[in-house]
Every structure is written in C-alpha cells, then in structure tokens.
Amino acid sequence: MKLIPGHLPPIPTSTSMERLPLPLPFNADLLWRYPLGFSSMAHQNPPSSPLLDYKSQLPNSLPSDPRVWNRDDVMMFLQWSEREYDLQPIDQDMFQMNGKAMCLLTRNDLSERAPGSGDVLYNVLQILVREANTLQRMLPSSPVTPTSRHPYPLSPHSHPPTPNWNMLTQKNESLHTSHAASLAAHLMAQSNSVTLSPAPSVDSQASSPQRLDNPSFGHSIFSMSGSNGSGSNPSDSDEDADKKGYSGSPPNTPNTPSAYALMPQMPYLPPRSPKEPVSSPAAFRNTGREFFPSDSSEPNTNGRLLWDFLQQLLNDPAQRYTSYIAWKNRDTGVFKIVDPSGLAKLWGIQKNHLSMNYDKMSRALRYYYRVNILRKVQGERHCYQ
DNA sequence: CACCCGGAAGCGTA
DNA sequence: GTACGCTTCCGGGT
C-alpha cells in the first residue's frame, strides 16, 4: 500500500520547514520516510511504505528536483502521478509550465487545476522539493540532486547593478522614474525564471511565515509573505485619485529601493537569507520563492517575469506601490493597475525596455490569458484577476 | 480617445 | 538551432 500524499496532514510551508533544524546525523532515507516532519502524522498513519518508495519510482528521466523540470517533465510527472495514485485524469493544458512554476502553485491552485488530485500533487511536490533542498544543503558543492540536469547557477554575489540601472539613478529623473529605477534595480538583484506562471488563485492564504530575518532593504520588498497588512487594501478606493502625479510614490527611507539605488557601493544582496516567501494573489502567495535554492541567483538581470514583478509590487508589505498597482480584492485575486503608464515604466526599466508603455505591457498581460495565469475583469478598467 | 483584444513578427536569453 | 517570454506593431472592436 502506498502512502498517498494527499492524505498527509497539512504541510508546513517550506519556508518554515527550511528553518527547521535538520536532525543530525542526517539520513537521507529518513527524509524520504518522513520528509515533512511526519511526527505530526505519526499518530494517524505511520507510513507503511516509505516515501522513498515513490521517490525511487519516479520516472528515471525525471530529475528528482521538480524545480528543474521542463514542461515535458511536468507532463511526465502528471502522467506518472495519475498512474501511481489512481488520480482522476489531469488536464495537462492546465499545467503548461515548467517545474519551477508548478512548485509555485499552492494547494488550492493545484486543486483548481486538477480537481480531486491537487492535494496529492501538492504534497508530492512538497516532498520532492524538500528533499532537493536537503540534498543541496548536504552537498553544497554538488548539483541539487544527482539526477538534476543542471545545478542551480551559483549566485554571482558580486553581481553589480546593471549599467543601465546606474545610469538611470544618476540621472536626475523624475521622482517617479527614479523610484522606478531603484525598484527595478532592487528587483534585478533577484531572478528566478519560471516558464509560465501559476495562476492567481483565490486561496493561497496559505500564510507563509512572515519573517524579516534581515530588515535591510535588500529584503524588504521580498518579505511580503503573509503581509496581512495588505489584506484589505485601502487603495480600493484610491482608484484614479491616486494618479495625481507620483506623490503616491513610496517614501525614500533608508530602507527603500531608492535608497539602495543611491548607494551603488552597497553590496549585492543575494536572495539567500530572504527566504521570505511572497504572499500573493494566488499562487504567488504560497511563496515558493523559498523553494528556490537560496544561493541561486541567475546573472540574467533581464530574466524577471512580468507576473513575478507585479506580484512583488502587489505584495509589498509596506504597501509602497499602491499608487501603481493594488489589490482590489485580495481574496479573489483581483487587482487594479492604478497607474498604467507608471507601472509600464517600472516594468520597462526592469526589463531595460525604456519605451515600454501600458499598451505593450498589457499585451504581455494578455498572453497570460491563454495560459490561465490572468483573466480580465470585465467592465473594469485596468482590473485583472 | 482610451482601453481592450489577439495576430504576427521579431528579439534576447537560456 | 530551439523554446520561451516577452516586445513591438497593428487592425479592429467597444
């Protein structure tokens, strides 16, 4: 009899898990047997069959770390899961994404995309990711897993801000642009490319632990997890009123991106400690960012994805970007682009496409429709779900 | 007029 | 060379 992941108790967010001290001496097999801190479930269903079981039964060609899966791998995983756990047929069209994106999906996201099977998929993924993380910790100099096709790129810790970025910040741009640039610079410090993205889901309240291990700016915007503060967004009513210039821009405190921008010598902050998960509309919320190798930061500063970018703005714990974009209803995942052109500029700076405008950016957003990442809120301008 | 839509072609990156 | 995620442009609809 197999241990059905879907029957496991709720799994703590990986963020919290990652902070759990590992039992020492470490035993990888033990992890597979009790990959999720099964102490909590021991009382109900002692794993009669170690999870090691199904790990070893993963298709050979599948890297054990789901975050390195490509689309085909994801399909293979879905098919394997269907067979392995007698799941209802899964609509693969709902999973046109790579493994990294799939890992970002929350339990609810998965359940929406694979009714009846989401829990199982979620738990299996959690286990696989956790295992990969553990292996990575144990073998820091080795690829995440022996079967990984490629290890995560090591972080270019000395990775400096891009020249464009410096140029912008040194220019006497408008406050708006300056802020935009600084934000972009900050965001550039992070990158995790994901093929397609999770669709914002209604739930995902899956609170991720709210922690600010380091209050330094480098982490600020990424510490949005569980930012309940943004639960009911005051900008519900800000509507166009917020468009009165850029006065609504975030203040320039020493901890703001702008401040960071003005300190070129400030060391690059690898997204290491900021395991801060991102709470967000959806899939975003259950972070997943913490799923990524802590010391992995791709050198490609243009690699940020639009949805990721928007998510970070939306979930800024300090609500500094509500003059650009804000939740209308966080529970339903509906958000409004308060300042379309301003947001487009931000995005343009982020991608170094300085001629970016809302028309172009919205085209990119529309591409998200077809992959169920985004949908337009009919009749409401600049509102998406 | 601004927004919205989606096709088509092109580009940069991995 | 290929796939991907846009970017850019555009004609058409509301």
Side-chain angles (χ1 to χ4, degrees):
Chain A
M1 156 183 166
K2 283 194 171 60
L3 180 62
I4 306 298
H7 297 164
L8 299 181
I11 300 172
T13 69
S14 61
T15 296
S16 60
M17 292 192 299
E18 286 206 343
R19 295 195 171 92
L20 293 177
L22 283 174
L24 294 173
F26 174 79
N27 178 322
D29 276 2
L30 208 59
L31 246 186
W32 277 104
R33 289 168 189 278
Y34 311 102
L36 301 171
F38 275 56
S39 56
S40 62
M41 68 165 284
H43 64 281
Q44 38 168 283
N45 251 343
S48 56
S49 171
L51 291 173
L52 178 59
D53 238 21
Y54 76 78
K55 173 199 177 186
S56 63
Q57 289 169 16
L58 271 179
N60 285 337
S61 54
L62 263 189
S64 54
D65 186 344
R67 293 166 299 191
V68 305
W69 292 349
N70 58 29
R71 289 185 192 220
D72 289 339
D73 293 336
V74 168
M75 293 306 126
M76 190 186 304
F77 167 72
L78 294 174
Q79 290 163 7
W80 172 80
S81 297
E82 277 185 25
R83 290 194 309 270
E84 198 69 7
Y85 303 112
D86 294 325
L87 302 179
Q88 296 167 29
I90 299 172
D91 181 1
Q92 301 198 342
D93 284 344
M94 298 303 285
F95 291 90
Q96 292 299 319
M97 61 185 75
N98 65 14
K100 189 179 281 186
M102 188 164 60
C103 286
L104 282 168
L105 297 178
T106 64
R107 187 186 294 274
N108 282 341
D109 295 329
L110 285 165
S111 294
E112 283 177 12
R113 292 170 188 247
S117 310
D119 273 356
V120 174
L121 295 178
Y122 179 78
N123 286 324
V124 172
L125 285 172
Q126 291 282 306
I127 291 168
L128 291 173
V129 165
R130 179 156 169 72
E131 168 67 0
N133 282 342
T134 303
L135 281 179
Q136 192 188 13
R137 254 194 304 267
M138 292 186 61
L139 307 169
S141 58
S142 306
V144 176
T145 73
T147 53
S148 290
R149 286 201 194 93
H150 59 81
Y152 292 103
L154 292 180
S155 166
H157 284 206
S158 56
H159 181 59
T162 69
N164 284 332
W165 151 239
N166 281 331
M167 234 175 58
L168 273 169
T169 54
Q170 281 158 20
K171 277 186 188 168
N172 196 7
E173 302 279 350
S174 68
L175 169 62
H176 189 183
T177 304
S178 172
H179 175 257
S182 52
L183 169 66
H186 176 169
L187 296 179
M188 284 174 183
Q190 280 223 347
S191 86
N192 273 300
S193 74
V194 180
T195 300
L196 298 190
S197 81
S201 79
V202 177
D203 162 292
S204 331
Q205 297 293 4
S207 55
S208 11
Q210 186 169 15
R211 284 191 43 165
L212 266 170
D213 291 339
N214 183 342
S216 71
F217 155 69
H219 304 157
S220 59
I221 193 175
F222 299 105
S223 323
M224 335 178 156
S225 69
S227 50
N228 295 334
S230 52
S232 64
N233 201 315
S235 63
D236 276 5
S237 57
D238 53 18
E239 297 291 327
D240 294 337
D242 266 15
K243 296 182 93 174
K244 47 176 179 239
Y246 301 127
S247 54
S249 292
N252 262 341
T253 70
N255 280 342
T256 65
S258 294
Y260 178 78
L262 297 173
M263 300 164 70
Q265 72 280 28
M266 191 166 177
Y268 166 72
L269 293 172
R272 167 66 183 134
S273 50
K275 296 262 171 161
E276 347 57 38
V278 223
S279 76
S280 89
F284 304 150
R285 202 166 298 149
N286 186 17
T287 159
R289 195 170 296 283
E290 75 272 17
F291 292 157
F292 302 141
S294 45
D295 56 352
S296 119
S297 157
E298 295 165 21
N300 166 25
T301 53
N302 272 352
R304 296 205 62 78
L305 301 176
L306 180 53
W307 67 262
D308 191 27
F309 175 77
L310 299 181
Q311 164 230 330
Q312 291 185 37
L313 266 55
L314 279 167
N315 292 310
D316 177 42
Q319 293 288 290
R320 291 170 296 177
Y321 308 100
T322 53
S323 59
Y324 296 100
I325 184 173
W327 290 116
K328 285 205 78 168
N329 186 328
R330 196 190 183 99
D331 290 337
T332 57
V334 174
F335 62 89
K336 177 184 179 70
I337 295 175
V338 181
D339 179 357
S341 63
L343 183 65
K345 284 195 178 85
L346 269 183
W347 175 236
I349 292 168
Q350 169 75 8
K351 293 292 292 291
N352 194 24
H353 287 275
L354 301 185
S355 63
M356 180 57 61
N357 56 32
Y358 181 65
D359 184 50
K360 295 172 187 172
M361 189 187 72
S362 63
R363 180 68 190 96
L365 291 177
R366 288 194 293 276
Y367 271 122
Y368 285 152
Y369 295 169
R370 68 169 67 160
V371 287
N372 294 310
I373 290 169
L374 215 58
R375 120 180 26 135
K376 188 76 182 70
V377 175
Q378 297 300 327
E380 295 198 66
R381 282 188 166 191
H382 308 141
C383 284
Y384 297 85
Q385 181 176 25

